[in-house]
Amino acid sequence: MDINPRRLVGIQPERVTNVSNTEFPGHYPDEDHSWDLHKFRESLKVRVQRLSRRSIEFDVVGIDASIANAFRRIMIAEVPTVAIEDVYVFNNTSIVQDEVLSHRIGLVPLNINPTKIDTKEPGEQATDRNTLEFKIDMECKHNPAFNKSSLTTNPTPSDKDLYINHELLSSHLVWQPVGEQEERFANYPVKPINPNIVLAKLRPGQAVNMTLHAVKGIGSDHAKFSPVATATYRLHPNIVITKMIPFERAEQFAACFSKGVVKIDERNRKCTVSIDPHHLRNDTVSREVLRHPEFAESVALSRIRDHFIFSVESESAYPPEQLLVEAVNVMHEKITAMKNAALALLNGGIGVAEGDVLMQNAP
Amino acid sequence: MHSRTVSSTLGGKSVQPVRTVRDFFLCSLPGTMATEATPKIRIMKGASADLSAATYQVHDESHTMGNALRWMLMKNPKVEFCGYSVPHPSEPNIQIRIQMYDNLSSLQALIKALEDLGNLCGAIKDTYQESVQAGDYEKWDEKS
């Protein structure tokens, strides 16, 4: 696998080299690096590698770090989700203070399709179009079924044996449909994604009674609105063996890399040490190999600058494979908003709205 | 961000007409009420008359758009220089400096870069969705 050396970020024992992309017009004589959608489409490769119900790993090859980073940032901070924003406490005699409990409740991920509700603008009244209401009403009691005589056989009874409602869980958030919400969410059960999150522990006599309002928001306002647990990318590693690795050192060499990266082939009483291209992506590029003087000259470490391995974990109503699509949609919205503003500037003349720049006075 | 507004009469029944502490703060903070009047893009003082060199201040944007746009502008051979900055982390503004060759308009270059960036996004979305639909990937069961 020969890779254009321009695409590589060199990894030396104490430094990285060729970090920046240089493919801009004017950088290389007689080379055109101006934007070309057709060329871009041809060189672009996007491939999903692994998908589960909660996470996805996909490769994007052929984009600049600024673009990859834009999508990563948007997935974290600008894709909208629904979370609990207002908590009305009518009673809370648990040991968790109102504000701490409210904060914990706010962080509970809800399984609500954000396209089904509108954003509540600041100062706007709560309606069935922009707010979902939940209720918590529970009180912890002694379990009447518990019998003290059972202590002889079981001297350490569990909380579950002793009490009723000893834990306030995310499953205790009960949706209260208002207005047309029942029809609108008929096919989407409105509830927390994970029913087993412990929000508070209770003891007999302690009670919690609250009304909660969930609204749509984005992660840059508060992390509870972030649809992802993690959204990261890393560059694809590239390891080239430049000098043959002697047979007796093969195992030691392989131990310098992540599992499966180095392939030792012992067929035909000859040993060849090579890099397994299928497992290469798993390498952490720890540079351990460069600490061994006997190997330092035998291997060249690098990463591929335009090969991004995205890893995204969804912690929201979005299925993980939907998150990049949502991020692209948000990016499109941002571009459109900026373009309209730029076109308005172009058509409306300069500085008309602001009066900050008076073009006739400029030199 | 989300400029869509919905009249409360549209949805019908009100959930609960409670004015929250948050509403109070949102209304009383000077910065938040000024957002409607702030233009999305304005040209900073000192731009050349033909706009061949100008700094644009973009409201409500961050590194996300700043760096992507900077890269796309640098892909334009008519752009002599392009750089962006976030002048202060607690102000939701970015500044993009564009200088053009041949006294061309930097505003035109900005518009072109935005169009190209839109096309790039479309290409990525298409290719990604093809890959998702092809289903040629490892599916695994994650416990959560």
Side-chain angles (χ1 to χ4, degrees):
Chain A
M1 185 170 61
D2 268 341
I3 295 164
N4 183 349
R6 260 187 214 172
R7 289 176 64 200
L8 297 179
V9 177
I11 293 167
Q12 315 301 331
E14 298 291 342
R15 60 186 297 214
V16 282
T17 56
N18 304 318
V19 179
S20 305
N21 182 8
T22 49
E23 302 206 314
F24 294 110
H27 191 92
Y28 297 103
D30 305 325
E31 280 184 36
D32 176 30
H33 286 293
S34 59
W35 172 249
D36 183 333
L37 182 62
H38 188 67
K39 270 193 209 161
F40 173 76
R41 272 184 183 279
E42 289 203 334
S43 64
L44 177 69
K45 284 191 192 72
V46 184
R47 214 181 140 177
V48 180
Q49 298 287 346
R50 301 179 85 212
L51 177 69
S52 80
R53 214 165 46 79
R54 300 242 54 88
S55 68
I56 189 170
E57 185 176 297
F58 59 92
D59 289 17
V60 185
V61 190
I63 58 169
D64 186 69
S66 59
I67 306 298
N69 196 39
F71 292 137
R72 182 193 65 85
R73 285 174 63 99
I74 291 173
M75 280 192 273
I76 292 170
E78 290 182 75
V79 172
T81 67
V82 180
I84 288 159
E85 175 73 0
D86 296 315
V87 176
Y88 302 93
V89 183
F90 300 108
N91 189 18
N92 172 25
T93 48
S94 76
I95 56 157
V96 186
Q97 296 93 325
D98 291 1
E99 64 275 24
V100 178
L101 185 56
S102 301
H103 180 239
R104 290 178 67 80
I105 290 169
L107 294 168
V108 172
L110 303 173
N111 194 12
I112 301 169
N113 183 345
T115 58
K116 292 275 163 193
I117 75 167
D118 298 324
T119 305
K120 183 170 169 257
E121 302 299 332
E124 201 184 334
Q125 208 192 27
T127 70
D128 56 348
R129 286 278 168 98
N130 60 26
T131 305
L132 287 154
E133 195 182 280
F134 292 83
K135 270 201 162 63
I136 298 173
D137 189 7
M138 69 184 297
E139 188 182 351
C140 181
K141 287 195 171 86
H142 284 287
N143 185 0
F146 178 72
N147 193 331
K148 271 193 179 168
S149 58
S150 71
L151 285 170
T152 48
T153 50
N154 178 18
T156 51
S158 69
D159 288 351
K160 216 176 163 185
D161 301 329
L162 289 167
Y163 316 118
I164 296 168
N165 286 342
H166 70 284
E167 272 178 340
L168 171 58
L169 299 172
S170 54
S171 59
H172 292 125
L173 272 61
V174 185
W175 178 46
Q176 308 287 312
V178 179
E180 60 181 30
Q181 286 174 351
E182 198 141 27
E183 303 163 43
R184 193 184 313 195
F185 292 95
N187 302 324
Y188 307 86
V190 174
K191 58 182 183 187
I193 288 171
N194 186 336
N196 302 319
I197 303 167
V198 179
L199 297 167
K201 294 212 169 191
L202 305 176
R203 282 296 176 265
Q206 296 180 347
V208 177
N209 184 357
M210 291 170 162
T211 297
L212 321 167
H213 285 187
V215 299
K216 184 152 114 176
I218 56 170
S220 59
D221 173 43
H222 193 293
K224 70 185 173 187
F225 291 118
S226 184
V228 295
T230 58
T232 64
Y233 59 75
R234 61 197 174 93
L235 297 182
H236 195 290
N238 185 46
I239 302 163
V240 179
I241 296 175
T242 50
K243 243 191 263 171
M244 218 179 71
I245 305 297
F247 168 71
E248 60 278 13
R249 292 201 190 277
E251 291 292 336
Q252 194 197 352
F253 182 76
C256 294
F257 298 95
S258 300
K259 212 177 153 196
V261 171
V262 173
K263 203 163 59 182
I264 302 170
D265 198 344
E266 287 184 76
R267 275 176 304 174
N268 307 332
R269 298 177 57 212
K270 255 179 83 181
C271 175
T272 51
V273 178
S274 61
I275 301 294
D276 184 350
H278 301 294
H279 288 100
L280 179 54
R281 59 176 18 253
N282 297 331
D283 193 53
T284 56
V285 197
S286 63
R287 292 178 282 181
E288 169 67 14
V289 69
L290 302 179
R291 295 178 68 233
H292 299 261
E294 63 270 37
F295 297 140
E297 300 297 310
S298 318
V299 66
L301 300 184
S302 55
R303 286 183 185 271
I304 304 169
R305 192 186 298 110
D306 65 350
H307 188 148
F308 296 89
I309 301 172
F310 274 85
S311 164
V312 180
E313 287 175 36
S314 173
E315 199 54 69
S316 64
Y318 295 106
E321 68 272 22
Q322 186 62 24
L323 283 163
L324 184 76
V325 179
E326 294 297 328
V328 173
N329 291 344
V330 171
M331 182 97 171
H332 254 303
E333 277 170 34
K334 291 160 82 76
I335 291 167
T336 312
M338 259 190 90
K339 205 171 98 184
N340 289 342
L343 285 170
L345 260 188
L346 189 71
N347 299 329
I350 304 339
V352 167
E354 204 42 32
D356 194 23
V357 181
L358 296 170
M359 299 317 295
Q360 55 269 37
N361 295 342
Chain B
M1 289 188 311
H2 309 281
S3 57
R4 231 153 22 115
T5 50
V6 175
S7 151
S8 59
T9 54
L10 258 180
K13 203 178 160 195
S14 161
V15 175
Q16 196 180 40
V18 180
R19 203 173 140 85
T20 64
V21 175
R22 191 179 66 100
D23 290 338
F24 170 77
F25 275 111
L26 282 172
C27 294
S28 58
L29 283 173
T32 46
M33 282 315 275
T35 48
E36 274 175 47
T38 316
K40 182 75 181 167
I41 302 179
R42 63 190 196 97
I43 297 167
M44 306 288 288
K45 226 175 198 170
S48 64
D50 56 1
L51 282 187
S52 64
T55 304
Y56 298 86
Q57 185 171 62
V58 190
H59 183 68
D60 236 358
E61 292 297 347
S62 60
H63 292 282
T64 305
M65 279 299 277
N67 199 17
L69 209 51
R70 187 227 85 220
W71 176 78
M72 189 53 96
L73 277 155
M74 283 173 73
K75 277 287 199 185
N76 182 345
K78 296 293 179 194
V79 172
E80 180 195 34
F81 172 88
C82 180
Y84 86 100
S85 73
V86 179
H88 194 280
S90 54
E91 282 172 1
N93 295 323
I94 54 167
Q95 289 176 3
I96 304 173
R97 173 73 179 173
I98 309 170
Q99 288 169 210
M100 303 294 292
Y101 288 119
D102 310 330
N103 290 328
L104 288 163
S105 164
S106 61
L107 190 53
Q108 294 281 12
L110 180 68
I111 292 165
K112 183 186 178 297
L114 286 162
E115 276 167 9
D116 292 341
L117 211 53
N119 293 335
L120 177 148
C121 289
I124 290 176
K125 188 169 150 184
D126 294 347
T127 328
Y128 174 77
Q129 281 179 327
E130 267 169 39
S131 174
V132 171
Q133 271 148 28
D136 179 23
Y137 41 81
E138 181 193 342
K139 295 171 188 93
W140 60 293
D141 186 32
E142 188 173 6
K143 302 275 177 273
S144 64

